Amino acid sequence: MKKITVTLLVLLAAASLVVGCKKSGGAFIGIAMPETHVLRWVKDGNSLKAEAEKRGYRADVQWGNADQVEQNKQIQTFLTNGAKALIVGCINDGVGSVIAEAGKDNVAVIAYDRIIPNSADYDYFITFNNFKVGVLQAESIAAGLDLASASASAPKYITLFAGSATDGNAFFFFDGAMSVLNPYIDKGVLKVVGPYPKTSADRDNFQRIATENWQAPIAKTRMENLLNNDARNVTLDAILAPNDTLARAIIEACKADAKYRGNLPVVSGQDAEFDSAMSIKSGEQYSTVFKDTAKLAEAAILLADQVLKSETVNIPGAVLASGDLAKIGDTGRKVVKTYLLDPILVTKDNLDVPIDAEFYDRTQKVLLKS
Ligand code: BGC
């Protein structure tokens, strides 16, 4: 009798362990982020993991160090460990082979912020309206230079930078920006110093202004070269910088040139990084584009959850890209369902927007408000 009771108790304990396990650990989600040298991705990865766990999933996050071979190994490990979904911010199209493998195993793949190019092996992409990001960058430059009242007899001078040509977003940022700047250039009130791709379709010139893997030292060196060569005999009024990391590197190069000390060009940005917000506050960087990545992470995990449960996808706060914007979801081999969140322009006048959205930590908030 005693033996039976003990056996029963052991069985009950084992059963409750199993139930306990089920409760605390749902399916496994692998989160692959591209890099840490652009700070947003650190936050993106951590937010995604926290959101996944909040919904009862097990999750792991890895950062790829801007090296696709390294990221592929990380994704491979996720698959070996039984991932049911992958959230991927890729580095370049070399990711295709592991995504194909995931597709074969029926793993739900969600391209996160960046498209997974040249692949037909996944169905979903969640990002911001990246064309609009570029439009906002250029609109801030047009406002900062008052291009609407500029004349061809006293034109303004701009130089152009783009992000990494391995990142599909870089093309949309640039084309959005040029859709605003080209009319001023055509009128002769704005002149481009250095290479001028009218759109990203001019691949040769686009390559000349692109910044491989969004590396700040590359942008800084290119700016130094411009200052010593093409821009030697003019004073630049503006610089189209595709994100904050590069904007600050470009500003650093300008500050080392006596001509620009105390007289910096209008420089755009993106990501609302703390250091750039401080720079905007102090009047150096002119603008940034705020993309609420906490919201993107929340939306991506909701999307994964709905896909894994075979529910109808419905993402509050995001629009399904259609019409012209559907291009954002074109991998080159298929058009994936693409959900877009809205970016917001930030200048000195509305720095409160990212602050009030709790985008910064407490210490940063105090510094920004002081
Ligand atoms: C992202 C930007 C980021 C850049 C460099 C892009 O794909 O959309 O937010 O600044 O990559 O990491």
Side-chain angles (χ1 to χ4, degrees):
M1 184 68 192
K2 203 174 169 197
K3 205 172 171 194
I4 294 175
T5 318
V6 171
T7 316
L8 244 171
L9 277 177
V10 169
L11 277 176
L12 272 175
S16 74
L17 251 180
V18 171
V19 172
C21 269
K22 262 206 178 136
K23 258 195 195 153
S24 62
F28 174 49
I29 300 185
I31 301 161
M33 296 288 102
E35 64 207 26
T36 54
H37 71 271
V38 174
L39 279 179
R40 63 157 286 185
W41 298 109
V42 177
K43 199 163 151 184
D44 282 90
N46 292 330
S47 306
L48 282 162
K49 186 167 189 287
E51 289 294 335
E53 285 167 353
K54 228 195 269 173
R55 287 190 181 272
Y57 292 97
R58 285 179 299 124
D60 185 20
V61 56
Q62 297 289 328
W63 286 268
N65 199 24
D67 176 352
Q68 195 59 60
V69 175
E70 190 170 329
Q71 189 181 61
N72 284 3
K73 282 190 199 140
Q74 294 167 342
I75 294 176
Q76 197 69 60
T77 307
F78 291 149
L79 293 175
T80 310
N81 291 344
K84 292 282 178 268
L86 294 174
I87 313 278
V88 181
C90 72
I91 295 141
N92 59 48
D93 60 3
V95 73
S97 54
V98 278
I99 299 304
E101 211 173 307
K104 253 185 253 145
D105 292 348
N106 275 328
V107 173
V109 174
I110 292 170
Y112 180 82
D113 192 82
R114 295 177 175 177
I115 199 154
I116 296 168
N118 301 326
S119 171
D121 300 306
Y122 70 104
D123 296 314
Y124 297 98
F125 179 25
I126 187 151
T127 186
F128 289 84
N129 181 337
N130 295 314
F131 188 86
K132 185 170 170 188
V133 168
V135 167
L136 295 176
Q137 290 172 333
E139 282 179 353
S140 81
I141 289 175
L145 299 183
D146 193 13
L147 286 181
S149 33
S151 78
S153 56
K156 305 282 184 186
Y157 292 94
I158 188 169
T159 201
L160 307 170
F161 280 74
S164 184
T166 53
D167 175 354
N169 288 344
F171 303 95
F172 287 100
F173 299 150
F174 185 73
D175 288 335
M178 296 318 285
S179 74
V180 174
L181 297 179
N182 279 328
Y184 295 111
I185 298 168
D186 292 345
K187 265 196 269 173
V189 301
L190 183 66
K191 291 213 180 298
V192 178
V193 178
Y196 169 38
K198 198 159 186 168
T199 71
S200 65
D202 176 356
R203 282 293 194 267
D204 287 347
N205 277 313
F206 185 80
Q207 278 296 348
R208 291 189 181 104
I209 65 160
T211 314
E212 202 187 345
N213 282 330
W214 300 88
Q215 297 285 352
I218 296 179
K220 191 175 175 206
T221 305
R222 180 167 171 251
M223 190 66 225
E224 287 164 352
N225 285 337
L226 276 159
L227 292 172
N228 291 325
N229 295 289
D230 292 357
R232 204 191 170 108
N233 299 317
V234 290
T235 300
L236 291 170
D237 300 293
I239 299 166
L240 175 69
N243 80 352
D244 287 347
T245 310
L246 303 187
R248 292 195 308 276
I250 289 165
I251 290 173
E252 230 179 277
C254 290
K255 279 166 86 175
D257 184 324
K259 197 154 78 180
Y260 295 100
R261 229 164 274 147
N263 178 35
L264 282 168
V266 167
V267 181
S268 61
Q270 169 177 199
D271 293 336
E273 284 187 4
F274 170 70
D275 286 348
S276 283
M278 287 299 281
S279 174
I280 291 171
K281 179 172 142 79
S282 71
E284 291 195 342
Q285 190 173 323
Y286 186 78
S287 67
T288 185
V289 175
F290 171 46
K291 303 192 298 186
D292 196 336
T293 50
K295 292 238 169 73
L296 184 67
E298 195 185 337
I301 296 299
L302 175 62
L303 175 57
D305 187 48
Q306 291 170 349
V307 171
L308 286 172
K309 291 178 177 155
S310 305
E311 291 173 0
T312 312
V313 174
N314 172 29
I315 312 292
V319 295
L320 183 61
S322 62
D324 243 15
L325 286 175
K327 269 188 268 170
I328 293 181
D330 188 352
T331 75
R333 296 196 38 211
K334 103 184 221 192
V335 178
V336 291
K337 277 215 174 90
T338 298
Y339 296 86
L340 303 176
L341 277 74
D342 207 30
I344 301 170
L345 180 68
V346 172
T347 63
K348 212 174 184 169
D349 296 337
N350 65 342
L351 263 176
D352 279 353
V353 172
I355 300 174
D356 294 345
E358 304 301 335
F359 194 60
Y360 306 106
D361 67 31
R362 203 177 301 201
T363 331
Q364 293 174 332
K365 195 168 168 174
V366 170
L367 287 166
L368 281 167
K369 289 259 187 193
S370 67

